[in-house]
Amino acid sequence: GQNIDQPTEMTATEGAIVQINCTYQTSGFNGLFWYQQHAGEAPTFLSYNVLDGLEEKGRFSSFLSRSKGYSYLLLKELQMKDSASYLCAVRDGDYKLSFGAGTTVTVRA
Amino acid sequence: DAGITQSPRHKVTETGTPVTLRCHQTENHRYMYWYRQDPGHGLRLIHYSYGVKDTDKGEVSDGYSVSRSKTEDFLLTLESATSSQTSVYFCAIKGDREAGELFFGEGSRLTVL
């Protein structure tokens, strides 16, 4: 089975940095994904990690430690438009993605 | 834009009636998925397909069936809808880049009264 945990909610100020943690215990591992989902919309792909380390993409970075079953998504220079849910997902060996329940980030002015 | 369209986008139905949701893609992707999304549960996999007539169950497949008779269409059927199947349903395809990330359709909101 798959067990993916992430905090339910986080609040931060515009211009600040927020780190969303994700821990996982899965029966197989073939990559970790982060998605962004605005209210009432479909999830959109943000980042992918399959090897340990940090992947940076503009204001967003994602980190993976396979030995610890741990990942985080780092959002820098927060903007109001970053208010959304952030979903952590793990892919097993059969191209199936299992998702955590999501972290709702609220950015305040 | 991964060329995914879902229909209907909104549907209200009564308990015990059959419902079919359609996912249509225009880019010949092999893998297609149906997820449901509920508050507190995130996205949960219902069924997925890895080719025409090739499908398999996900973690919440009870009460659902699927069919894929053409590459471009993946149908999700609720044979006899129940109130517990009120949800937002998302179709997805696996992209062709190295990461193989999923691209999602706009979602179908189903309410079972």
Side-chain angles (χ1 to χ4, degrees):
Chain A
Q2 318 290 55
N3 187 26
I4 302 170
D5 290 319
Q6 50 183 129
T8 304
E9 296 179 338
M10 301 183 75
T11 301
T13 305
E14 195 174 17
I17 299 172
V18 69
Q19 177 175 313
I20 307 169
N21 296 324
C22 172
T23 59
Y24 64 89
Q25 293 175 307
T26 58
S27 56
F29 182 85
N30 192 21
L32 188 138
F33 298 78
W34 285 95
Y35 282 79
Q36 181 189 60
Q37 186 177 25
H38 286 100
E41 298 183 5
T44 56
F45 169 73
L46 283 179
S47 69
Y48 166 68
N49 296 69
V50 68
L51 299 176
D52 291 352
L54 187 69
E55 294 283 341
E56 298 186 82
K57 190 185 296 185
R59 294 189 298 113
F60 294 1
S61 303
S62 57
F63 172 83
L64 174 66
S65 169
R66 288 172 296 169
S67 62
K68 295 182 179 179
Y70 168 70
S71 173
Y72 68 73
L73 179 69
L74 196 68
L75 287 62
K76 294 176 279 190
E77 300 170 15
L78 279 172
Q79 303 175 9
M80 300 300 289
K81 67 178 182 180
D82 297 330
S83 291
S85 285
Y86 292 84
L87 314 177
C88 174
V90 174
R91 182 170 63 198
D92 65 13
D94 292 330
Y95 296 109
K96 293 182 293 184
L97 252 64
S98 297
F99 286 81
T103 300
T104 300
V105 172
T106 301
V107 181
R108 293 181 173 168
Chain B
D1 183 4
I4 307 169
T5 55
Q6 293 184 225
S7 59
R9 294 289 314 281
H10 300 273
K11 185 173 182 65
V12 179
T13 192
E14 294 188 349
T15 298
T17 60
V19 175
T20 295
L21 305 179
R22 179 184 183 230
C23 178
H24 178 78
Q25 56 136 334
T26 59
E27 298 183 356
N28 211 34
H29 294 286
R30 179 181 173 191
Y31 287 83
M32 298 184 75
Y33 306 79
W34 276 108
Y35 285 86
R36 61 177 288 176
Q37 186 172 39
D38 306 287
H41 290 280
L43 286 158
R44 292 180 291 176
L45 182 64
I46 305 171
H47 282 278
Y48 69 105
S49 170
Y50 45 95
V52 173
K53 291 187 168 58
D54 291 324
T55 65
D56 205 349
K57 296 178 180 180
E59 63 177 307
V60 290
S61 60
D62 287 349
Y64 301 95
S65 62
V66 290
S67 66
R68 192 162 177 207
S69 59
K70 298 184 292 185
T71 298
E72 58 265 35
D73 288 327
F74 191 32
L75 304 181
L76 177 70
T77 297
L78 292 65
E79 300 290 347
S80 178
T82 67
S83 59
S84 66
Q85 293 175 312
T86 292
S87 187
V88 180
Y89 291 86
F90 286 100
C91 173
I93 58 94
K94 186 178 80 69
D96 296 327
R97 297 188 294 194
E98 180 181 353
E101 66 269 32
L102 299 191
F103 294 92
F104 288 86
E106 293 301 308
S108 296
R109 181 174 294 275
L110 175 68
T111 302
V112 183
L113 301 176

